[in-house]
Amino acid sequence: MLIDNAYAQYEERFIEKFQDKVDFKFFVGQGLEQVDLPNLVELPAPDSYYELPAKVKALFGWALDRGYSHVVKIDDDVVMRLGNFLNFFQPVDYCGYQLESDTLKWASGAAYVVSRKAMQLVVDTPWDATWNSAEDQMTGRILAANGIPLTHDH
């Protein structure tokens, strides 16, 4: 992910509008140049598309260490209407736009919500090297294997 002036401007607008309603962070992996944004967190994980599973596990570990009850994982190319989201938020273990294959249902990686319980399962489960690098499918697979259903939302 490239952090530049556009992120700083987005962050300023977001803070002005929602600072009293949500806590938000931008997460990057290691190795980027130093960026001075108050809501930027550098995770102990690589920052490449194929290493996204490691970055998401590190993000969930960070949130668990700080006592968060839920995390909304959103890709940096997604536009979220936070007011709508807050009106319809469901405090379930796993929620997002449902995608599926013959053997699995998972939340689209563009944006999904996980609870503390779900985050802990993802952090504690080793990624299987035979899976693809799609972190959303891996998250869905881990949660389904542990009896946590996906709540479909749009």
Side-chain angles (χ1 to χ4, degrees), residues 9-154:
Q9 292 171 4
Y10 177 76
E11 181 178 8
E12 288 172 15
R13 289 192 311 267
F14 193 94
I15 288 171
E16 289 172 16
K17 189 167 185 178
F18 296 110
Q19 67 185 356
D20 61 333
K21 295 181 175 77
V22 297
D23 184 20
F24 76 98
K25 306 289 183 207
F26 293 103
F27 293 91
V28 296
Q30 293 176 329
L32 295 179
E33 293 181 26
Q34 182 67 26
V35 179
D36 187 22
L37 295 174
N39 293 304
L40 183 76
V41 176
E42 184 178 16
L43 297 169
D47 200 345
S48 74
Y49 180 76
Y50 293 104
E51 297 291 338
L52 191 53
K55 186 175 170 185
V56 169
K57 282 183 76 155
L59 182 161
F60 291 168
W62 183 94
L64 287 166
D65 289 347
R66 285 153 185 83
Y68 286 86
S69 66
H70 288 81
V71 163
V72 182
K73 183 258 172 205
I74 305 172
D75 284 352
D76 64 349
D77 60 350
V78 171
V79 174
M80 176 183 240
R81 295 183 175 176
L82 190 58
N84 289 348
F85 173 80
L86 293 173
N87 286 333
F88 296 103
F89 173 71
Q90 302 175 57
V92 297
D93 288 320
Y94 182 41
C95 183
Y97 184 79
Q98 181 177 302
L99 299 175
E100 59 186 281
S101 67
D102 292 340
T103 59
L104 179 66
K105 292 180 183 179
W106 70 93
S108 165
Y112 58 87
V113 178
V114 288
S115 69
R116 185 169 187 78
K117 176 181 175 182
M119 287 187 280
Q120 192 68 63
L121 286 167
V122 171
V123 167
D124 290 346
T125 303
W127 295 116
D128 185 328
T130 62
W131 297 346
N132 65 32
S133 63
E135 53 77 27
D136 54 353
Q137 291 179 24
M138 292 184 202
T139 297
R141 184 181 309 268
I142 289 168
L143 298 180
N146 286 280
I148 295 182
L150 169 63
T151 300
H152 175 65
D153 194 5
H154 24 293

